[in-house]
């Protein structure tokens, strides 16, 4: 089986569950650290010709992370493309089962059982908070409706202030964000790398939780540690 992954979180899931199957991955596929596969460009701009030359049996993609014209070009070249759709935690587990099965994994990996158990056993939050969740600045862009990261936060007691916005990733002026009535700002380190010195200063009146973007946005082995580590970060925001 030869597989190309165009999704960093799925790359990690396949790599640890079916070693040796991946022949091509994106430049953004950073886990596992010792991954040995051909780099074929970014998630939004993969080198389609390079993928075709690898002669994969399957390309794994995602409807949000990858562009349809690239996926169509791969299909036109006779390559099977599996496109995932992940909008919430249960959906992540369903799609991971589907992807791993398509990659020839027999049986359910232990990490996937551990991840599902971690989310099923998470403690009930003592209180709920409402957060602004920027994913980019210049311009400011935040989580909107129907996102995996938004569902992750909601299950940890943090409601997204823009969960009912008509856009999934709305661009919102800073003045509007600070007036949104949130009592917390969640700042991940990807896709934009928010840090203690880049992000919190824009929200001087609100506590800011700096979180690992992989734990917030990736659906793979990191799901097992996400509830505990994200929960801790959300309970101890910077002021």
């Amino acid at each position: 089986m030869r597989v190309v992954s165009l999704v960093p979180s799925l790359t990690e899931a396949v790599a640890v569950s079916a070693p040796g199957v991946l022949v091509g991955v994106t430049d953004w596929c950073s886990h596992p650290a010792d991954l040995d596969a051909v780099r074929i460009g970014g998630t939004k701009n993969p080198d389609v010709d390079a993928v075709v030359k690898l002669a994969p049996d399957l390309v794994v993609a995602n409807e949000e992370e990858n562009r349809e014209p690239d996926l169509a070009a791969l299909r036109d070249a006779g390559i099977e493309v599996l496109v995932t759709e992940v909008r919430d935690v249960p959906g992540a587990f369903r799609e991971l089962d589907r992807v791993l099965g398509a990659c020839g994994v027999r049986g359910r990996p232990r990490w996937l059982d551990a991840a599902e158990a971690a989310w099923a056993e998470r403690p009930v939050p003592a209180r709920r908070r409402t957060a602004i969740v920027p994913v980019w600045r210049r311009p400011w862009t935040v989580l909107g409706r129907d996102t995996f990261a938004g569902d992750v936060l909601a299950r940890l007691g943090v409601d997204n202030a823009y969960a009912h916005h008509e856009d999934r990733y709305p661009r919102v002026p800073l003045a509007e964000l600070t007036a949104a009535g949130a009592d917390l700002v969640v700042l991940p380190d990807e896709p934009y790398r928010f840090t203690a010195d880049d992000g919190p200063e824009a929200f001087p009146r609100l506590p800011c939780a700096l979180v690992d973007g992989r734990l917030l946005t990736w659906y793979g082995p990191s799901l097992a540690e996400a509830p505990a580590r994200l929960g801790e970060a959300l309970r101890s925001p910077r002021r």
Side-chain angles (χ1 to χ4, degrees), residues 12 31 189-190 212-218 221-222 225 229:
E12 183 180 17
H31 290 71
D189 62 6
E190 64 174 78
D212 185 330
R214 176 168 164 263
L215 298 176
L216 180 62
T217 64
W218 286 36
S222 59
E225 57 183 317
R229 288 183 54 194

Side-chain angles (χ1 to χ4, degrees), residues 178-189:
T178 57
D183 53 20
L184 177 68
V185 181
V186 177
L187 297 170
D189 62 6

Side-chain angles (χ1 to χ4, degrees), residues 27-67:
D27 297 340
W28 299 105
C29 294
S30 56
H31 290 71
D34 59 351
L35 185 62
D36 182 18
V38 175
R39 300 289 171 164
I40 49 76
T43 57
K44 302 296 185 186
N45 58 344
D47 185 335
V48 172
D49 290 338
V51 175
V52 173
K53 288 179 181 178
L54 289 171
D57 300 298
L58 179 69
V59 170
V60 177
N62 175 263
E63 50 91 28
E64 179 177 293
E65 295 202 45
N66 308 121
R67 300 185 316 124

Side-chain angles (χ1 to χ4, degrees), residues 107-157:
R108 211 160 192 260
R110 290 183 179 179
W111 68 260
L112 190 51
D113 285 335
E116 204 153 19
W119 281 97
E121 297 166 359
R122 72 189 185 283
V124 177
R127 69 184 182 100
R128 301 200 68 82
R129 307 188 75 173
T130 300
I132 300 160
V133 192
V135 293
W136 203 260
R137 66 183 301 177
R138 304 182 191 95
W140 286 97
T141 306
V142 299
L143 289 185
R145 62 171 180 83
D146 198 23
T147 66
F148 171 73
D151 186 62
V152 165
L153 290 171
R155 292 170 187 272
L156 297 175

